[in-house]
């Protein structure tokens, strides 16, 4: 809202808030200068109610439409953060779709004794999959604890999730090392390049997830979480579960289906 | 600031399950509905996923003829959507989130299926 339009509303008497008739509250200064730069404040996880620090805003004036019906922070009345996360995860499907397709195309392009059927250790990878699946359970328990405002269990489950994720990444590092010792390097064949790129990208995602989990745990400890705590934990949880569903696809298409 | 407006930010609450917070969340943000599942139900879902994963591994060793691939892919799809719907709460959340995610997923499946067809992946030539 521009300053001119506010002035016009003050004098027109067309149903707009009659600012001139109301005594200013708080500091006693005019309210026009106190409208936040980003527009009128509104409730919601992504749009905290602000403006009280330096005085009252237009929404606080009694009798105004804005005071009775506070404007929403988002036109959809949904959390912008959460919507952004889902949009990001939707775009991540395209990234991993490309990597999985590339692997499927090139999995037969290798030298005779260093192919998928010879080199994969299915029992070991099954245990890794089970660990990642279990981390999804601990993550959802962390979100559940956060929704119950049970901060102690929230932190406990977040750290457990991070540890399980670290176990998975450690297992992946061990697998890569053993493949390398058997002679399968990144540039050995098209199969090895596409395999290391796909699983490596996934491993990086898991590592980023671990960093996010530990960062949220630290912020919970020091009480410096930006925004609502349950939503922050849920956003990290969404990312973590996405990493898990990508592994569900990789485990079946890459490891279990013979080349 | 109006005292009528709930200030979640200032409360720093963990969850929308408090009375005032619940009212606020259902009305204003619309995304924090109670997800309806208990911790034990989550554990039950995990057990289901673990059993299906075990069945997948057994199937990969057994490889029962022509059923092998469709069965394995079906199990993968079931596991995928169980995690998305229940662990990621998409079943209980706003439909717009589902649209955003499924749009990306469908686009990826379509684009890369076409790409694989282009490279004659399914014909085996």
């Amino acid at each position: 809202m521009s300053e001119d339009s506010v002035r016009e509303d003050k004098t027109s008497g067309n149903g707009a808030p009659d600012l001139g008739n109301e005594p200013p509250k708080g500091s006693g200064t005019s309210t026009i200068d106190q409208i936040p730069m980003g527009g009128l404040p509104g409730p919601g996880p992504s749009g905290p109610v602000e403006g009280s620090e330096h005085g009252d805003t237009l929404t606080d004036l009694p009798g105004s439409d804005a005071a009775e019906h506070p404007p929403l922070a988002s036109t959809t009345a949904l959390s912008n953060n959460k919507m952004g996360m889902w949009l990001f995860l939707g775009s991540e499907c395209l990234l991993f779709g490309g990597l999985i397709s590339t692997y499927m195309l090139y999995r037969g392009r290798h030298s005779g004794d260093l192919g998928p059927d010879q080199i994969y250790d299915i029992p070991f990878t099954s245990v890794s999959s089970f660990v990642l699946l279990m981390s999804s359970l601990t993550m959802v328990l962390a979100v559940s604890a956060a929704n119950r405002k049970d901060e102690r269990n929230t932190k406990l489950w977040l750290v457990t999730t991070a540890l399980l994720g670290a176990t998975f990444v450690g297992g992946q590092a061990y697998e890569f090392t053993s493949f390398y010792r058997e002679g399968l390097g990144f540039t050995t064949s098209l199969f090895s390049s596409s395999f290391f790129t796909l699983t490596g990208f996934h491993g990086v995602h898991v590592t980023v997830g671990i960093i996010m989990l530990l960062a949220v745990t630290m912020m919970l400890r020091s009480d410096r979480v930006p925004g609502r705590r349950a939503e922050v934990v849920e956003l990290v949880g969404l990312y973590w579960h996405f990493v898990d569903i990508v592994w569900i696809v990789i485990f079946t298409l890459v490891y279990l289906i013979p080349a | 600031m109006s005292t009528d407006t709930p200030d979640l930010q200032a409360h720093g609450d963990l969850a929308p399950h408090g009375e005032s917070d619940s009212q606020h969340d259902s009305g204003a943000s619309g995304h924090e509905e109670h997800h309806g599942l208990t911790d034990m139900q989550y554990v039950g879902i995990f057990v289901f996923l673990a059993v299906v994963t075990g069945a997948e591994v057994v199937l990969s060793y057994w490889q029962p003829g022509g059923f092998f691939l469709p069965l394995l892919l079906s199990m993968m799809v079931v596991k995928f959507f169980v995690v998305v719907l229940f662990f990621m709460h998409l079943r209980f959340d706003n439909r717009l989130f589902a649209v955003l995610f499924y749009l990306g997923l469908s686009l990826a499946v379509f684009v890369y299926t076409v790409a694989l067809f282009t490279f004659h992946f399914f014909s085996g030539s």
Side-chain angles (χ1 to χ4, degrees), chain A residues 100-115:
Chain A
I100 291 170
S101 303
T102 308
Y103 171 80
M104 298 301 279
L105 275 173
Y106 292 138
R107 66 180 178 166
R109 306 279 289 272
H110 56 82
S111 59
D113 55 345
L114 285 174

Side-chain angles (χ1 to χ4, degrees), chain B:
Chain B
M1 180 193 300
S2 167
T3 52
D4 295 329
T5 309
D7 190 350
L8 289 180
Q9 198 82 2
H11 293 165
D13 287 337
L14 266 173
H17 289 223
E19 279 182 22
S20 61
D21 293 0
S22 291
Q23 287 162 6
H24 168 80
D25 283 324
S26 59
S29 67
H31 73 290
E32 292 292 353
E33 299 88 3
H34 297 270
H35 293 139
L37 292 182
T38 63
D39 287 358
M40 283 312 293
Q41 285 172 314
Y42 286 129
V43 173
I45 290 169
F46 164 72
V47 170
F48 170 76
L49 290 169
V51 167
V52 175
T53 305
E56 276 184 321
V57 175
V58 169
L59 208 64
S60 73
Y61 283 104
W62 183 27
Q63 297 192 11
F67 290 109
F68 169 64
L69 212 55
L71 213 55
L72 207 59
L73 293 177
S74 305
M75 286 171 159
M76 180 192 80
V77 170
V78 167
K79 280 170 63 184
F80 183 96
F81 281 106
V82 165
V83 173
V84 169
L85 293 176
F86 295 104
F87 281 2
M88 295 173 90
H89 299 143
L90 209 55
R91 181 181 161 88
F92 312 103
D93 236 325
N94 192 285
R95 199 170 283 183
L96 187 59
F97 298 139
V99 169
L100 289 175
F101 181 66
Y102 290 138
L103 211 64
L105 182 65
S106 309
L107 188 63
V109 170
F110 173 74
V111 166
Y112 295 115
T113 305
V114 170
L116 289 173
F117 266 112
T118 308
F119 286 99
H120 305 285
F121 174 77
F122 298 106
S123 62
S125 59

Side-chain angles (χ1 to χ4, degrees), chain A residues 36-66:
Chain A
M37 288 295 287
L40 293 175
S46 56
V49 179
E50 297 172 342
S52 60
E53 269 184 35
H54 308 291
D56 297 324
T57 63
L58 282 174
T59 54
D60 299 317
L61 295 173
S64 71
D65 286 348

